[in-house]
Amino acid sequence: MSTAIAPSQMGGAPVHYRGPALSQEGSQPPEQQVGPRDLLRVVYRYRTMMVLIVGAITLAVLVQQLLSPTLYRSSSTVQVELIDEVGTNQADVNSRNAERVANAVRLHRSRSAAEQVIRDLDLVHNPVFLRELGNVPSDAKVLYQAATNKVLSMTTMNSETGSDLIEIAVTARSPELAAEIANQIPPSVRALRTSKSNERRAELLSSLEYEQQARARAAEETARHVADFRETHQMLVGAGGAEDLAQINRIAVQSAAATAARDGAAARSAGIARASQMQSTALATSGALDQLERRRGELVAEASKLGTSLGPNHPDVKRLGSQLAAVDSSIAEERGRVQAAAQADASARGAQMAQIARSEAAGDSAQASRLEGIVAGLSSMAYRNTSNTVQLEKLVREATLADDAYKAIAGRVEQVRAQMQLEGVSSSIVSPAVPNYDPIAPAPVKMAITALLGSTVLAFLIAFARDFLDDRLRTTAQIRRLFGLPTLGMLPLLNQDLSEDPKESPVIREPQSLFAEVARSAYTEVRALDRRPPAQSSNSQVVLVTSPLPGDGKSTVSLTLAAAGIAMGDRTVILDLDLRKRGALQRLQSDMQVPDLVDIVCGRANLDSLVSPRSANPYDGPDMPVTLDGEAGVPIPVEAASPHQIVLLSAKEPVAEPALLLSSSRLKTLLEQLRERFELVIINAPAALAVRDARAMCHFADQTVLVARWGHTTGDQMRAALEMLDDSVGGVIFDQVDYAEHARRRYGDSVQYYADSASYYSSPVAAREAMAARIRRMFRGHSWRPVEA
């Protein structure tokens, strides 16, 4: 911002430093800090614009309120409900579903909902609504569009975070119409949502049913392919896989068991045959043999008894002996017969058992052979099934996929049918709207106060932004803060163009004017700049004057400094090295009937022919004649009115190759001669950003003075010029300074108070503009009028 307090621009020794300095604590320097006083200056600086903005906005709002019709507002409250697949109200569970409520709000304020309300209430034929509409279009389509836009503009929706309630507010000129529309929006939205949802789902269901039929045919066809393949290749379910191997293994086990049973039966039959031959008949008996054994025992017992008592020769004993011998003979005979029968019976049973074992062995052998054949057949079939498994699995996969797709489509069809009946988002009115006869608009006082406050804030922001974004240079504080350079002077803007003739300069013609005073002060500041050795030992000084861009007034500043030097009694010369284009100094050189700079550098003329003898300062002579100025009695030198000589060295015509002239040794020699003959040599250089000549000329001069056009040169232009010129710049001179505008902006520097010192100046100073003039200047640029001090 350019609102900092700056020291005087018309006096004081210059301070040489580079860049903005910091305080000891590392904070911003005072001129970079923005305080309340700076803000007040911004307000004062743009007060006219701010008053216009505030007045225009407040007046417009007030007129709009006074001309606006009386409006009424009615509100209804709607609760959003979520219905799941089984018809359960989930509003309590999902009351914080912000997305659901937000979607419902968007649907209630949609254009389709407004069109549905218009159809349901037949608003295009309602005279009350047509009065709300104003101009009724004759075309039906345009009428519906206008009615829809009107309903949308009349309706507002409000919903609180975390709540499933929506407030529908309708504003209209008729309270009854507002309440009617507010109560009709939820049913219309519900009907619209239901119809649109059912239409979409009906289309979806139709497409799904068609897809379901196609998938059913595909599933049936793939299943038929699998069945045909199994039938053709005799592959039952499970064939060609682990089932075949398991079956083969089971039959192979049975075959091995049958073979083992056959071998066991053969071995058993051979053993039975051998065992039948090894049977003993010693223990064979029969009933007759047992009876004879018992009779023999009785006879033996009776013979023993009688033999003890009667003796062996007793007839009874002999008789018993004879009977015992007969019984023994019968026993032996019977035993032989019994043993023979037993032997025959054992042989018959062994032969029978051997035959049975042989029969079992033959059966087991036949079963083993049959099972081996079955195993061989199954193995052969299993190999065939294995080779067909790839094709079968492909067919099975196709059949499975087709069946899964059919099941998915069938499930989706059932889901859509269920959703068409139950599922969806519904809304119901929990608090219907009633006509409210208390008007809500217009409120002129309230809106005017609001507009006044809001426009004041807006005007301040615009003023602050305008001041902040204004990069044009106007104050010494800006030069010091941004570039660390002193401001050597601020030449006032004249009410007429400055004459190119140095004799007509206000510095000489009006020595007591404000312009002359500032010019002399700037000249003093320039003369106080540091000089390069060995120039420090002499009174001669070479100053290079340039500007960022053409048109900033560097030629005017050069002439003004030269005129101020002459007025101060110093011999001054202007060396114009801006040779590329025809400017004010070249036109002035053309009017002189003397050789120009090119003639001197080329040797066609010498410097002595151009420089006349030095005229003495009129105040230096002891017997100087004077006159008295009126009643004040102030002595005025007689020779003060005579013009002093300003020596100008320029080219009469633009130079095609100025670089050759600048690099010539004769130009350096000319500069040395000028140092010897003049106290101040002013080099008028081209604009620094236009060509590189100014940078090449810096080594000619002791110091470089950069000219900035007040309110026109920007900070970026100045910064680019300083980067181009490096460290050779000793200060800045403002040209065409609008003192009246500068004072009105209240930058806090000495120019702000210059009007209070008007009595010191003989010429008129700029007066403050009237408001009408400031308004015109805001749109057409700067202008000011001088008034008598």
Side-chain angles (χ1 to χ4, degrees):
M1 290 182 58
S2 54
T3 57
I5 300 176
S8 172
Q9 295 93 340
M10 296 186 291
V15 180
H16 297 275
Y17 59 92
R18 297 290 182 183
L22 296 178
S23 62
Q24 293 181 355
E25 292 79 5
S27 59
Q28 289 181 331
E31 62 270 14
Q32 286 187 294
Q33 298 175 354
V34 179
R37 182 175 298 178
D38 297 322
L39 297 180
L40 292 177
R41 285 173 179 166
V42 172
V43 173
Y44 186 84
R45 194 173 304 149
Y46 298 100
R47 63 187 184 276
T48 303
M49 180 192 69
M50 296 178 64
V51 169
L52 291 177
I53 293 175
V54 173
I57 294 177
T58 304
L59 182 62
V61 172
L62 184 60
V63 171
Q64 186 270 338
Q65 287 293 308
L66 294 177
L67 298 179
S68 297
T70 304
L71 299 178
Y72 303 89
R73 177 174 294 174
S74 296
S75 302
S76 63
T77 304
V78 177
Q79 184 179 24
V80 182
E81 300 174 351
L82 180 63
I83 308 301
D84 65 1
E85 296 181 355
V86 297
T88 302
N89 187 350
Q90 298 294 321
D92 296 335
V93 178
N94 302 287
S95 61
R96 297 188 180 277
N97 191 342
E99 182 179 359
R100 169 172 55 88
V101 177
N103 291 336
V105 170
R106 283 192 287 267
L107 181 58
H108 280 75
R109 66 167 55 143
S110 64
R111 192 172 187 85
S112 299
E115 294 174 352
Q116 186 67 31
V117 170
I118 293 173
R119 288 191 293 267
D120 293 341
L121 295 179
D122 196 18
L123 293 180
V124 293
H125 298 97
N126 188 336
V128 178
F129 179 78
L130 293 180
R131 285 196 298 271
E132 289 278 345
L133 194 59
N135 296 328
V136 180
S138 58
D139 185 75
K141 184 176 181 180
V142 177
L143 175 60
Y144 267 95
Q145 292 179 353
T148 303
N149 295 334
K150 185 62 178 178
V151 171
L152 291 175
S153 64
M154 295 167 58
T155 306
T156 57
M157 306 285 174
N158 296 316
S159 61
E160 296 182 359
T161 304
S163 174
D164 59 351
L165 298 178
I166 301 175
E167 181 185 9
I168 303 176
V170 179
T171 303
R173 300 181 185 180
S174 171
E176 295 81 5
L177 179 64
E180 187 178 9
I181 294 177
N183 290 328
Q184 182 59 40
I185 290 178
S188 299
V189 170
R190 189 183 308 112
L192 177 65
R193 180 168 47 208
T194 301
S195 62
K196 294 294 184 182
S197 177
N198 287 340
E199 287 178 4
R200 292 193 302 270
R201 287 174 176 168
E203 295 177 358
L204 177 61
L205 183 61
S206 176
S207 62
L208 289 176
E209 288 177 347
Y210 177 80
E211 184 67 18
Q212 182 183 14
Q213 296 175 0
R215 295 297 175 85
R217 291 192 296 269
E220 182 179 358
E221 184 178 357
T222 55
R224 174 59 59 189
H225 291 165
V226 173
D228 292 344
F229 188 84
R230 290 184 181 276
E231 182 179 1
T232 301
H233 296 84
Q234 296 181 356
M235 296 180 66
L236 300 177
V237 177
E243 289 82 358
D244 283 352
L245 181 60
Q247 186 177 9
I248 292 173
N249 290 337
R250 287 195 300 271
I251 297 177
V253 169
Q254 294 178 2
S255 175
T259 302
R262 178 194 62 189
D263 296 339
R268 190 167 56 254
S269 64
I272 291 173
R274 289 192 298 271
S276 62
Q277 298 176 0
M278 292 184 295
Q279 290 182 355
S280 175
T281 58
L283 299 177
T285 183
S286 64
L289 183 58
D290 292 339
Q291 186 177 4
L292 290 175
E293 288 290 340
R294 285 194 300 275
R295 180 61 181 166
R296 182 178 180 280
E298 292 175 354
L299 291 177
V300 170
E302 188 178 357
S304 296
K305 180 179 177 183
L306 291 178
T308 305
S309 63
L310 294 182
N313 293 320
H314 190 281
D316 290 336
V317 175
K318 292 183 178 182
R319 181 181 53 78
L320 287 173
S322 177
Q323 291 179 352
L324 183 58
V327 171
D328 289 336
S329 177
S330 297
I331 288 173
E333 182 180 356
E334 185 61 26
R335 179 169 289 131
R337 188 183 62 76
V338 169
Q339 291 179 347
Q343 183 66 36
D345 183 60
S347 298
R349 285 198 304 272
Q352 183 181 5
M353 293 177 65
Q355 185 60 37
I356 291 174
R358 285 193 295 273
S359 298
E360 291 178 355
D364 292 338
S365 177
Q367 183 180 5
S369 299
R370 185 168 61 253
L371 291 176
E372 289 176 355
I374 293 174
V375 169
L378 289 177
S379 298
S380 177
M381 183 176 293
Y383 284 117
R384 291 197 305 272
N385 291 342
T386 301
S387 62
N388 296 326
T389 298
V390 177
Q391 184 65 24
L392 178 62
E393 288 180 351
K394 178 180 178 182
L395 296 175
V396 170
R397 282 196 303 270
E398 293 176 355
T400 302
L401 291 175
D403 186 63
D404 292 342
Y406 171 75
K407 291 179 180 178
I409 292 295
R412 180 59 177 157
V413 169
E414 295 300 326
Q415 182 182 6
V416 172
R417 287 175 178 171
Q419 289 176 348
M420 291 181 65
Q421 299 175 359
L422 299 175
E423 188 178 3
V425 177
S426 179
S427 58
S428 59
I429 298 178
V430 296
S431 178
V434 296
N436 185 7
Y437 295 96
D438 295 331
I440 63 169
V445 177
K446 177 181 177 181
M447 295 304 296
I449 294 175
T450 303
L452 178 63
L453 297 177
S455 60
T456 301
V457 175
L458 177 63
F460 178 77
L461 293 178
I462 293 176
F464 190 81
R466 180 178 175 183
D467 191 76
F468 181 78
L469 298 176
D470 189 1
D471 190 33
R472 292 172 293 184
L473 302 176
R474 292 187 178 90
T475 68
T476 60
Q478 288 177 299
I479 301 299
R480 183 172 61 255
R481 182 182 70 247
L482 298 177
F483 313 111
L485 291 174
T487 300
L488 306 178
M490 300 185 72
L491 297 178
L493 175 67
L494 297 178
N495 59 340
Q496 58 186 359
D497 293 337
L498 186 65
S499 175
E500 296 178 359
D501 188 356
K503 300 178 182 180
E504 302 295 328
S505 174
V507 181
I508 298 177
R509 294 182 61 86
E510 300 178 4
Q512 306 242 338
S513 65
L514 174 64
F515 186 88
E517 179 64 29
V518 176
R520 288 192 296 269
S521 175
Y523 177 81
T524 303
E525 298 291 348
V526 171
R527 291 287 287 163
L529 293 176
D530 295 335
R531 305 173 190 177
R532 293 181 180 177
Q536 290 181 353
S537 60
S538 65
N539 193 34
S540 177
Q541 184 181 16
V542 179
V543 176
L544 180 73
V545 178
T546 183
S547 63
L549 293 175
D552 289 336
K554 58 182 180 57
S555 298
T556 302
V557 172
S558 298
L559 287 171
T560 301
L561 290 177
I566 294 298
M568 301 273 302
D570 293 337
R571 293 178 60 83
T572 306
V573 61
I574 300 176
L575 179 61
D576 182 23
L577 297 182
D578 187 3
L579 306 175
R580 293 177 180 266
K581 63 184 184 68
R582 184 176 179 83
L585 298 181
Q586 289 191 10
R587 289 193 296 270
L588 185 60
Q589 183 71 46
S590 299
D591 296 337
M592 298 179 181
Q593 301 300 322
V594 294
D596 62 357
L597 175 64
V598 178
D599 294 332
I600 296 176
V601 173
C602 294
R604 294 192 293 268
N606 55 42
L607 188 59
D608 295 333
S609 62
L610 299 178
V611 179
S612 60
R614 178 179 178 179
S615 60
N617 191 304
Y619 290 97
D620 292 341
D623 299 327
M624 178 187 62
V626 298
T627 61
L628 296 180
D629 184 12
E631 298 179 355
V634 178
I636 300 177
V638 174
E639 296 183 7
S642 63
H644 298 277
Q645 182 182 11
I646 298 177
V647 179
L648 172 64
L649 293 179
S650 181
K652 297 180 180 180
E653 297 296 335
V655 177
E657 296 183 0
L660 296 178
L661 178 62
L662 297 177
S663 61
S664 66
S665 60
R666 291 189 177 183
L667 179 62
K668 298 178 181 179
T669 303
L670 175 62
L671 282 172
E672 294 299 329
Q673 295 175 357
L674 293 176
R675 278 184 180 272
E676 296 174 356
R677 296 170 180 265
F678 296 91
E679 282 82 2
L680 179 64
V681 179
I682 301 174
I683 300 178
N684 183 64
L689 299 181
V691 293
R692 302 283 178 172
D693 294 352
R695 178 68 183 90
M697 298 177 191
C698 289
H699 68 279
F700 293 161
D702 299 326
Q703 286 289 347
T704 300
V705 175
L706 201 58
V707 177
R709 184 178 174 184
W710 185 89
H712 184 271
T713 303
T714 65
D716 291 339
Q717 295 171 358
M718 182 65 70
R719 186 176 294 106
L722 290 174
E723 291 177 355
M724 180 73 66
L725 299 175
D726 200 10
D727 295 334
S728 61
V729 178
V732 176
I733 293 181
F734 276 105
D735 183 38
Q736 302 183 35
V737 180
D738 190 341
Y739 269 52
E741 175 65 14
H742 190 100
R744 189 191 67 81
R745 287 175 173 267
R746 291 184 178 268
Y747 288 114
D749 51 23
S750 61
V751 179
Q752 180 176 334
Y753 310 102
Y754 82 99
D756 298 331
S757 305
S759 60
Y760 281 88
Y761 311 122
S762 61
S763 61
V765 299
R768 294 182 180 179
E769 299 171 297
M771 180 172 290
R774 289 201 298 270
I775 294 175
R776 289 194 300 269
R777 181 179 49 75
M778 290 175 60
F779 298 98
R780 294 188 302 181
H782 300 292
S783 63
W784 62 281
R785 296 179 301 172
V787 298
E788 296 297 333

